[in-house]
């Protein structure tokens, strides 16, 4: 009897807590009203893999040129990337000529992009994809090409005229917080005034953090996604530091994410050189939990079948793209295990269990079901499917039960919990 009433009190507390969450969701900040990024943007972005390679003489296959983007566009369609949702083919820094043209407009480097961006956009659109481009709020881009300061309206119009669908707006060479904040806001309004639907990807909070805490309510009103932390690189240290930054700041950043506006932990580096298999699984699983834009930076011409399967895993993509649009968070950290969870539509939950250990073998970890999903995920029972590292149906679990999982060092087990009361309805 006694146990029972404690149980009920726990249920009530948990229900109230989730009600509070729902109310908070309703009151959450307004998103940029351009109708875009209702789920996190998916696509490909050149930076991490191809950087600022200008040497088309000696490295024609990896320099930043229209040929690179046309090849990627073809592969995005022929190799099934588009079918699973990767839609935006995005150019980063180093596409420009060193000077603006005679009418002050930005122009693509004529040797590397002989057809110009308009031509490339047409090609990309003919494949059913969308084209992203890059510019900078300050006087120069990070690599030293012309910045947009003083030219926001002209540049927004130029991109719209070319048929661009996404703008990544960097924050290098900007001499004051005032210029930075006003510039990011102004460009958002300038893009809107063109009348073209253009996803607006910002780095505004990242450049603010050294000086003061960003106001995410404001940022969400102007940007479709925003970078908070340093660039990803092709290393486990980099992935770990991004996850650590995110969990450390989760109180401030998780609730602000939702349809139309997302925290951007930067590109997926799966399929490159620096991550082991388990570490690639960790990046894919946690980027899904974080409701992160899925922008791959890799070479689609040379990618292992295993990395391709991971990046094209429909179950994991479905978690990332879940229409409820709530970002997940780190639930707890104990010893060398972290548990993350994310609420999904239809009362489902995603749970990721990370093994932080970098020594030894697989780690066994027992999870009490009631500790997951604010106590309601498996009330009264649920069906659990392991999605990563391999798909396995684990079966039905009662609210009061527990289950044991096994996670490789630096790896992650990703689970999906479906409430049985929803399964019965269907
Ligand atoms: C511009 O903003 C208005 C008001 O927020 C919105 O209704 C409209 O759809 C936006 N247009 C574009 C192209 O984003
Ligand atoms: C750009 O350079 C001009 C001239 O030096 C300066 O007045 C202006 O504040 C700079 N803008 C930014 C955003 O750094
Ligand atoms: C953040 O900006 C919003 C309006 O965009 C404002 O209402 C709110 O007071 C600001 N928050 C802080 C802490 O300054």
């Amino acid at each position: 009897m006694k146990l029972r009433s404690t149980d009920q009190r726990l249920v009530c507390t948990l229900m109230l807590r989730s009600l509070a969450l729902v109310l908070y969701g309703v009151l959450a900040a307004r998103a940029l009203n351009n109708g875009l990024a209702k789920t996190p943007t998916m696509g490909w972005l050149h930076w991490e893999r191809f950087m600022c390679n200008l040497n088309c003489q000696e490295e024609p296959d990896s320099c930043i040129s229209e040929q690179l983007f046309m090849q990627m566009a073809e592969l995005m369609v022929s190799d099934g990337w588009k079918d699973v949702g990767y839609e935006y083919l995005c150019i980063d820094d180093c596409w420009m000529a060193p000077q603006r043209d005679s009418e002050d407009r930005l122009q693509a480097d004529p040797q590397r992009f002989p057809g110009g961006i308009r031509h490339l956009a047409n090609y990309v659109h003919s494949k059913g994809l969308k084209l992203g481009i890059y510019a900078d709020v300050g006087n120069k881009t990070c690599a030293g090409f012309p910045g947009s300061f003083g030219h926001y309206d002209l540049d927004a119009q130029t991109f719209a005229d070319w048929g661009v669908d996404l703008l990544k707006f960097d924050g290098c060479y900007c001499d004051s917080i005032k210029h930075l904040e006003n510039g990011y806001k102004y460009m958002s309004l300038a893009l809107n005034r063109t009348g073209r639907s253009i996803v607006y990807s910002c780095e505004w909070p990242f450049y603010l953090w050294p000086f003061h805490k960003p106001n995410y309510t404001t940022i969400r009103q102007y940007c479709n996604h925003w970078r908070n932390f340093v660039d990803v690189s092709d290393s486990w240290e980099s992935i770990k530091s991004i996850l650590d930054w995110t969990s450390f700041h989760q109180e401030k950043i998780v609730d602000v994410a939702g349809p139309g506006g997302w925290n951007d932990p930067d590109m997926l580096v799966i399929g490159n050189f620096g991550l082991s298999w388990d570490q690639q699984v960790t990046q894919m699983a946690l980027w899904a939990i974080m409701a992160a834009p899925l922008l791959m930076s890799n070479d689609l011409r040379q990618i292992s079948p295993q990395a391709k399967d991971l990046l094209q895993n429909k179950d994991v993509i479905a978690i990332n793209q879940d229409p409820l649009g709530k970002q997940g968070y780190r639930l707890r950290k104990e010893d060398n295990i972290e548990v993350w969870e994310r609420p999904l539509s239809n009362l489902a939950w995603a749970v990721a269990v990370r093994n932080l250990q970098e020594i030894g073998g697989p780690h066994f970890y027992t999870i009490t079901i009631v500790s997951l999903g604010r106590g309601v995920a498996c009330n009264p029972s649920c069906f659990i499917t392991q999605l990563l590292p391999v798909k396995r149906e684990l079966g039905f679990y009662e609210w009061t039960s527990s289950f044991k999982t096994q996670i490789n060092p630096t790896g992650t087990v990703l689970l999906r919990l479906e409430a049985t009361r929803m399964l019965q309805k269907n």
Side-chain angles (χ1 to χ4, degrees):
M1 275 317 272
K2 193 150 196 294
L3 188 70
R4 197 141 183 94
S5 74
T6 317
D7 272 7
Q8 277 167 354
R9 211 177 314 137
L10 179 61
V11 175
C12 281
T13 315
L14 292 163
M15 301 276 246
L16 280 177
R17 237 190 273 162
S18 50
L19 180 67
L21 186 84
V22 169
L23 285 178
Y24 187 85
V26 172
L27 300 174
R30 209 173 72 234
L32 170 59
N33 185 15
N34 61 2
L36 300 170
K38 291 297 181 200
T39 61
T41 303
M42 291 179 68
W44 185 93
L45 176 61
H46 93 242
W47 189 258
E48 195 288 322
R49 179 65 189 253
F50 296 97
M51 298 158 68
C52 192
N53 188 343
L54 305 179
N55 189 355
C56 292
Q57 295 294 305
E58 285 165 45
E59 297 172 33
D61 290 334
S62 49
C63 68
I64 306 312
S65 69
E66 69 182 24
Q67 181 195 299
L68 179 71
F69 292 96
M70 288 164 113
Q71 288 181 352
M72 292 305 157
E74 273 168 49
L75 288 166
M76 278 173 78
V77 177
S78 62
D79 285 358
W81 301 100
K82 174 173 171 263
D83 288 341
V84 296
Y86 294 96
E87 185 182 19
Y88 286 81
L89 176 63
C90 302
I91 310 173
D92 206 288
D93 203 349
C94 302
W95 61 272
M96 294 176 199
Q99 308 293 336
R100 288 173 176 270
D101 73 8
S102 58
E103 285 160 26
D104 237 12
R105 286 178 307 213
L106 291 173
Q107 52 184 343
D109 183 277
Q111 266 79 50
R112 293 180 289 117
F113 292 83
I117 303 296
R118 169 85 257 184
H119 166 77
L120 180 58
N122 287 345
Y123 181 78
V124 167
H125 293 157
S126 76
K127 298 275 169 194
L129 299 168
K130 295 190 152 71
L131 183 70
I133 208 163
Y134 168 102
D136 190 284
V137 72
N139 276 318
K140 288 180 196 171
T141 71
C142 298
F145 291 89
S148 292
F149 184 74
H151 300 84
Y152 298 138
D153 283 304
L154 179 62
D155 292 353
Q157 194 56 54
T158 304
F159 299 145
D161 292 344
W162 286 341
V164 163
D165 306 291
L166 177 149
L167 172 64
K168 173 176 174 178
F169 210 37
D170 214 333
C172 281
Y173 295 99
C174 193
D175 58 6
S176 72
I177 300 278
K178 196 166 180 289
H179 280 152
L180 185 86
E181 299 213 279
N182 289 344
Y184 272 106
K185 289 179 188 172
Y186 195 102
M187 192 52 147
S188 181
L189 300 172
L191 290 171
N192 179 281
R193 282 191 294 268
T194 68
R196 187 173 174 84
S197 292
I198 299 176
V199 173
Y200 186 40
S201 167
C202 300
E203 302 214 21
W204 176 357
F206 168 60
Y207 286 95
L208 273 186
W209 270 111
F211 306 102
H212 62 77
K213 285 187 185 166
N215 182 333
Y216 284 98
T217 308
T218 308
I219 291 169
R220 181 173 168 79
Q221 286 165 11
Y222 291 91
C223 303
N224 290 120
H225 24 97
W226 48 85
R227 285 275 309 284
N228 293 312
F229 187 60
V230 296
D231 286 5
V232 70
S233 66
D234 189 12
S235 76
W236 182 230
E237 287 309 314
S238 167
I239 302 302
K240 278 192 295 185
S241 67
I242 292 170
L243 293 173
D244 286 346
W245 190 94
T246 304
S247 52
F248 187 77
H249 294 90
Q250 62 184 10
E251 300 287 338
K252 192 154 176 63
I253 65 169
V254 165
D255 285 335
V256 80
W262 311 97
N263 289 293
D264 179 5
D266 211 9
M267 295 159 269
L268 292 168
V269 296
I270 295 164
N272 292 315
F273 309 94
L275 303 185
S276 73
W277 167 245
D278 287 292
Q279 293 160 2
Q280 295 180 65
V281 166
T282 294
Q283 192 185 26
M284 194 68 190
L286 273 297
W287 261 238
I289 293 281
M290 293 188 293
L294 298 181
L295 294 166
M296 306 179 280
S297 194
N298 49 22
D299 189 343
L300 301 178
R301 297 165 300 192
Q302 296 168 5
I303 185 164
S304 73
Q306 203 184 24
K308 184 178 163 195
D309 285 350
L310 178 60
L311 287 162
Q312 295 194 357
N313 186 311
K314 287 183 185 161
D315 296 317
V316 182
I317 291 173
I319 289 177
N320 175 272
Q321 298 284 302
D322 186 85
L324 185 62
K326 289 220 167 284
Q327 181 172 339
Y329 48 85
R330 191 177 74 183
L331 178 66
R332 62 170 171 271
K333 178 178 177 174
E334 48 190 21
D335 301 330
N336 277 310
I337 296 289
E338 273 185 9
V339 181
W340 293 61
E341 63 180 18
R342 175 178 173 184
L344 304 173
S345 50
N346 293 328
L347 305 177
W349 286 76
V351 173
V353 189
R354 279 183 73 193
N355 179 0
L356 306 184
Q357 211 155 2
E358 302 187 0
I359 187 170
H363 187 96
F364 288 96
Y365 182 71
T366 300
I367 303 178
T368 8
I369 300 271
V370 70
S371 70
L372 299 174
R374 299 194 172 94
V376 296
C378 281
N379 183 7
S381 63
C382 64
F383 191 85
I384 304 183
T385 309
Q386 175 182 298
L387 303 180
L388 290 175
V390 287
K391 188 167 181 175
R392 219 147 47 88
E393 294 195 337
L394 303 183
F396 288 96
Y397 285 82
E398 298 289 319
W399 190 51
T400 48
S401 59
S402 59
F403 70 99
K404 199 163 154 187
T405 183
Q406 182 185 341
I407 321 116
N408 290 344
T410 71
T412 295
V413 166
L414 181 67
L415 306 164
R416 185 181 176 104
L417 282 55
E418 305 282 350
T420 38
R421 58 192 189 283
M422 289 310 287
L423 291 176
Q424 280 152 9
K425 264 186 216 162
N426 293 341

